Amino acid sequence: MSTLKLSFDHIGLFANDLAKMEDFYTRVLEFTVTDRGQLQRQDSEEFLDLLFLSRNPDQHHQIVLVSGRPVDLSFNVVNQVSLRAADLMTLRELHRRIRAYGSDEIRPISHGNALSIYVRDPNGNKIELFMDLPWYVSQPLRDEVDMDVSDEELMAALERHARELPGFRMRGEWRDEMAKKMAAQS
């Protein structure tokens, strides 16, 4: 195993409307504002507004939103921000909240090894809300999913489809393979 003790911790996103972003992240995704303030931009007289958000009391922030994003960007360099849901009940509640919020784009997707809901935040950043499934399939994979069926129907359909895909195996088997591969590389 690697000697580097490194793990992902947080992300910073530029925003052009902090109030809308705060509303989305706090009301829909239940992040808590842990701090806010201003900081002078390096090599400039301009001040930026910063908003720190977290869902974990042990982490000051998991997301920091920073003013100064141009409104007329032709390309968003953030591919996606992914947030893991603990279970299907949580994922369904998030799906309900996003619908109630009135988001223009909601895409429930199966990746074979995860069930995801993709949505855009008020600045157009793609947010993936997902839960791991108990099996693995080769990636990449993207199939539309009907979230309006019962939990039992949904999970049965996801497993039935996954069993037909290349690389199907239980998540524990895949994890053990990856642990061996990573250990061999260090």
Side-chain angles (χ1 to χ4, degrees):
M1 217 19 114
S2 172
T3 58
L4 293 175
K5 304 296 183 201
L6 184 67
S7 64
F8 181 79
D9 192 82
H10 63 273
I11 188 168
L13 301 170
F14 280 109
N16 57 33
D17 188 332
L18 278 179
K20 278 186 183 176
M21 294 287 277
E22 179 178 351
D23 180 61
F24 177 80
Y25 282 91
T26 58
R27 187 162 54 100
V28 177
L29 301 180
E30 294 186 352
F31 276 82
T32 297
V33 174
T34 60
D35 258 322
R36 66 176 77 232
Q38 287 192 322
L39 193 62
Q40 188 172 355
R41 187 182 283 240
Q42 283 185 305
D43 305 320
S44 170
E45 296 298 313
E46 180 185 6
F47 279 82
L48 300 172
D49 294 311
L50 284 81
L51 179 68
F52 298 90
L53 302 160
S54 186
R55 290 185 44 90
N56 181 341
D58 291 326
Q59 290 179 260
H60 175 263
H61 61 280
Q62 295 170 305
I63 298 174
V64 59
L65 301 174
V66 183
S67 66
R69 177 182 172 142
V71 177
D72 59 349
L73 282 179
S74 62
F75 181 78
N76 187 349
V77 297
V78 176
N79 176 271
Q80 70 188 42
V81 176
S82 300
L83 304 170
R84 184 186 310 270
D87 51 35
L88 184 55
M89 183 177 74
T90 301
L91 203 58
R92 283 195 181 279
E93 174 59 17
L94 289 166
H95 186 252
R96 185 198 66 72
R97 287 179 185 203
I98 292 164
R99 280 181 166 171
Y101 187 79
S103 183
D104 294 338
E105 179 185 326
I106 306 170
R107 296 190 59 217
I109 299 291
S110 169
H111 292 297
N113 61 355
L115 176 59
S116 300
I117 298 169
Y118 288 92
V119 63
R120 299 266 177 195
D121 73 15
N123 274 176
N125 299 305
K126 187 185 339 174
I127 306 297
E128 177 193 23
L129 307 164
F130 77 98
M131 62 173 264
D132 286 326
L133 295 171
W135 46 81
Y136 169 84
V137 299
S138 298
Q139 296 297 305
L141 176 75
R142 178 180 59 222
D143 289 321
E144 299 281 331
V145 172
D146 181 4
M147 293 292 289
D148 293 325
V149 300
S150 72
D151 289 0
E152 295 76 20
E153 290 173 286
L154 177 60
M155 293 304 290
L158 290 169
E159 183 174 3
R160 192 170 42 254
H161 181 64
R163 286 184 178 279
E164 299 170 356
L165 297 170
F168 176 87
R169 55 196 172 279
M170 297 311 292
R171 182 171 291 278
E173 293 174 60
W174 177 84
R175 189 222 169 270
D176 291 347
E177 290 171 20
M178 290 302 108
K180 287 177 187 171
K181 184 177 184 177
M182 290 174 190
Q185 291 175 345
S186 59

